Amino acid sequence: DNTKLTTGVYDSVSLSTAAAPPPVFPDPGFTSLFDGSDFNGLYTYLPSEGVNNDPNGVFQVDDGMIHVLNIPVTSADQEFGYVGTTASYSNYILRFQYEWGTKKFPPRTSTPRDAGLLFDATGPDSIYPVSVEEQVEEGDTGDAWLINGAKATATVANTSANPPTYSDTGSPVTVTSNSTVYGRIIHETKEDNLTGWNNVELDVTGDSAVFVVNGVVVNRLTHISQPDPNHPGQYIPLTSGRILFQEEGSEVFYRDI
């Protein structure tokens, strides 16, 4: 087991600068969740194929990176999926880098390139399991999405806005989701680069999370929770789960995980 979950020791993706050469593993003080050579400790998921069954090579290891959708573009819709950790994590700092490729697939050829990081993912694998997303999308990296029943509180600039925008000096609002409508909290400032590498950080402490994009805090969540399966209408803290790197129809590279 290559994880460290004792108090004060965090599992993490290592962090490099945007101009850095390919990563060297492991970064001192952190544990590499992806060693740059294979998917040991990780698994792939596609709805039509299930776990670790990827006949078309949607997820590839390429020069120390996870290369997503390095496949021929066709007119057929590309189903969404992810690379996830086999273990669940709580109380950690996660850092990774991403860079966009050039390929886009139906049904999202005319929309911004999209991917994402799901954390606190619980329950069976599905495209959108109960979880929270730190968005990875052109212009929107750092948005928070509450997925499939998850809810959370954030301070926002305008509590009447839908969706609201995070503000460190704003007023608190609780955003909810269900199986069909997901909740969103927009990042405070745009910090992502549309070309080149981006550094993303997720700091999880108990039922709270902080999103950092290229060194700037862009979102904060508290009181993250999920429906209590034993008591309908009630919620319980959501403090741990799998970590999932999404594929949503756009070529993307992940590294320094």
Side-chain angles (χ1 to χ4, degrees), residues 115-136:
L117 171 75
L118 302 182
F119 66 98
D120 286 351
T122 62
D125 286 295
S126 65
I127 287 297
Y128 301 113
V130 176
S131 59
V132 181
E133 179 179 2
E134 182 171 4
Q135 176 69 285
V136 173

Side-chain angles (χ1 to χ4, degrees), residues 49-253:
E49 305 293 344
V51 171
N52 290 331
N53 187 24
D54 181 12
N56 295 321
V58 171
F59 305 102
Q60 301 176 16
V61 177
D62 181 4
D63 194 24
M65 302 171 289
I66 296 176
H67 192 172
V68 178
L69 286 175
N70 182 30
I71 60 176
V73 176
T74 71
S75 59
D77 286 357
Q78 170 62 42
E79 65 177 337
F80 302 157
Y82 48 74
V83 175
T85 61
T86 56
S88 292
Y89 297 92
S90 60
N91 295 317
Y92 59 89
I93 298 173
L94 173 72
R95 293 172 179 166
F96 68 95
Q97 292 186 325
Y98 77 89
E99 181 179 47
W100 296 114
T102 59
K103 298 178 181 179
K104 297 174 69 175
F105 294 77
R108 292 190 174 177
T109 54
S110 60
T111 59
R113 288 175 290 188
D114 193 1
L117 171 75
L118 302 182
F119 66 98
D120 286 351
T122 62
D125 286 295
S126 65
I127 287 297
Y128 301 113
V130 176
S131 59
V132 181
E133 179 179 2
E134 182 171 4
Q135 176 69 285
V136 173
E137 183 179 68
E138 288 185 294
D140 291 325
T141 297
D143 281 4
W145 283 89
L146 290 309
I147 297 175
N148 208 2
K151 74 174 183 176
T153 299
T155 55
V156 300
N158 180 356
T159 58
S160 298
N162 186 22
T165 299
Y166 166 75
S167 171
D168 187 51
T169 59
S171 300
V173 66
T174 297
V175 177
T176 61
S177 68
N178 57 42
S179 60
T180 57
V181 179
Y182 300 156
R184 181 186 182 192
I185 303 164
I186 296 174
H187 59 284
E188 184 170 31
T189 58
K190 179 187 178 300
E191 302 295 339
D192 60 309
N193 304 310
L194 302 188
T195 60
W197 290 98
N198 290 273
N199 298 309
V200 178
E201 181 175 307
L202 167 68
D203 298 1
V204 176
T205 304
D207 62 357
S208 298
V210 180
F211 297 179
V212 183
V213 179
N214 290 323
V216 179
V217 173
V218 296
N219 230 322
R220 296 178 187 268
L221 304 178
T222 61
H223 302 95
I224 301 170
S225 59
Q226 65 177 326
D228 185 343
N230 299 317
H231 299 90
Q234 298 184 30
Y235 285 79
I236 55 176
L238 183 55
T239 60
S240 67
R242 304 185 306 281
I243 298 168
L244 314 176
F245 292 86
Q246 290 182 294
E247 172 271 304
E248 290 194 306
S250 298
E251 184 183 24
V252 64
F253 301 85

